[in-house]
Amino acid sequence: MKKELQQKIQQLKQEKDIAILAHSYQSVDILEIADQTGDSFKLSVVAKDMPQSTVVLCGVRFMAETVKILSPQKTVLLANADAGCPMAEQMDKDLVEQLKAAYPGYTVAAYINTTAELKTVCDVCVTSSSAVKILSAMPEKDILFIPDKNLGSFIQKQLPEKNIVLWDGYCPVHNAVTIDECKAAISLHPNAKVLMHPELPAEVLKFADVIGSTADIIRYALDSEEDCIIGTENAVRNYLAQMRPDKQFYLLSKGLICPDMRMTTLTDVYHAMLGQGGQKICLDEEVRLKAKHAIDEMIRLGR
């Protein structure tokens, strides 16, 4: 049934002028029918140049919003309307305004894992792969970083010359990984390289051989010859195991499973393409333009 449904989806893509974007945390059966895969920012950027008039995003809401921010002329559909991001939704616009009042003169840098509304009151966005480069390129010294304290702590260590204030936000899935889990995984696989995402807690990152974004982890794991312990969402381990069956990929923690990312199914994608499910992403033009400013700054500084 999976292959049959995948074939129907491929046919609908041609009939309805639809492109499918899938985040790397999606299941393998969804990655197989995607036109583009990758992290949230990569997907939003490549969507701009795709010829299709409609995009179905297999991921979570803030990712679909980012696609719409950069491609307002396209119809953007979130395959599963209930797929949100707890970290992106931990803060609201009013809370950011309160923090700005408490730290006057500070530049607000937001992780891309934030809602469109939140981006409207931020000065610049960053991704996990570009955060250090972008904050280093900023002339401002005083920076309020939101919402992820773990990524923020990682940046702080790389940029001691900056005065970075953190908020107590985090990804509930990554933040739950413990030191004991790291020690256990390393003990079981002492010759494997340990690859970790900077959304993991600082005390856990001390055990990493490589710290990087999802794309960085995938790239390193595919190119290296060593076996690897994967310290991010377990879907990445499944993808790597399929791409490099000659190597062993181990889980850092069995708890690294994002329930929101796992919501989306092939059936959801199919129904969204038929107009029988999912959700069309609509943004007020003023909100879109204000949110786009923070993303444009990220692109400018990232150069």
Side-chain angles (χ1 to χ4, degrees), residues 174 194-197 200 217 229-233 250 252 256:
H174 285 86
V194 183
L195 317 182
M196 294 189 183
H197 196 286
L200 292 166
I217 289 172
I229 297 170
I230 305 301
T232 190
E233 222 281 347
Y250 307 106
L252 179 67
L256 277 168

Side-chain angles (χ1 to χ4, degrees), residues 2-3 5-6 9 29-30 33 264-271:
K2 182 190 83 169
K3 290 297 183 184
L5 189 53
Q6 287 179 320
I9 288 171
D29 59 352
I30 289 178
I33 51 89
T264 304
T265 65
L266 276 177
T267 303
D268 290 332
V269 178
Y270 182 62
H271 287 163

Side-chain angles (χ1 to χ4, degrees), residues 59-246:
V60 296
R61 182 173 301 278
F62 84 81
M63 299 175 186
E65 288 183 342
T66 308
V67 172
K68 187 65 177 178
I69 288 169
L70 295 181
S71 300
Q73 77 283 6
K74 293 184 184 289
T75 298
V76 179
L77 306 174
L78 179 61
N80 187 310
D82 295 325
C85 172
M87 178 163 62
E89 295 161 4
Q90 282 176 348
M91 303 185 79
D92 60 20
K93 186 176 176 181
D94 290 340
L95 178 54
V96 177
E97 294 285 19
Q98 292 172 27
L99 286 171
K100 290 171 71 172
Y103 294 94
Y106 276 63
T107 297
V108 181
Y111 193 13
I112 195 81
N113 298 34
T114 43
T115 65
E117 182 181 52
L118 211 64
K119 290 179 177 72
T120 65
V121 288
C122 299
D123 299 297
V124 64
C125 283
V126 302
T127 65
S128 54
S129 61
S130 69
V132 172
K133 179 180 181 181
I134 288 171
L135 267 64
S136 176
M138 291 168 58
E140 297 87 354
K141 179 181 179 182
D142 297 329
I143 299 168
L144 176 61
F145 186 81
I146 60 171
D148 185 10
K149 64 179 181 181
N150 293 328
L151 176 58
S153 174
F154 174 74
I155 299 168
Q156 276 182 327
K157 290 180 175 61
Q158 312 302 310
L159 301 175
E161 71 277 12
K162 298 284 186 177
N163 179 29
I164 302 175
V165 173
L166 307 179
W167 186 71
D168 192 29
Y170 51 84
C171 165
V173 175
H174 285 86
N175 195 61
V177 177
T178 66
I179 291 175
D180 286 344
E181 287 178 307
C182 293
K183 289 180 176 178
I186 293 170
S187 177
L188 283 171
H189 314 292
N191 297 319
K193 290 290 186 181
V194 183
L195 317 182
M196 294 189 183
H197 196 286
E199 287 181 18
L200 292 166
E203 63 269 19
V204 169
L205 291 178
K206 293 177 182 178
F207 294 88
D209 295 305
V210 175
I211 301 173
S213 67
T214 302
D216 294 332
I217 289 172
I218 291 173
R219 189 179 305 112
Y220 182 94
L222 290 177
D223 292 344
S224 69
E225 295 308 315
E226 305 99 336
D227 294 340
C228 299
I229 297 170
I230 305 301
T232 190
E233 222 281 347
N234 287 339
V236 173
R237 182 262 168 199
N238 298 336
Y239 170 76
L240 290 169
Q242 185 179 54
M243 297 298 293
R244 284 290 304 267
D246 57 309

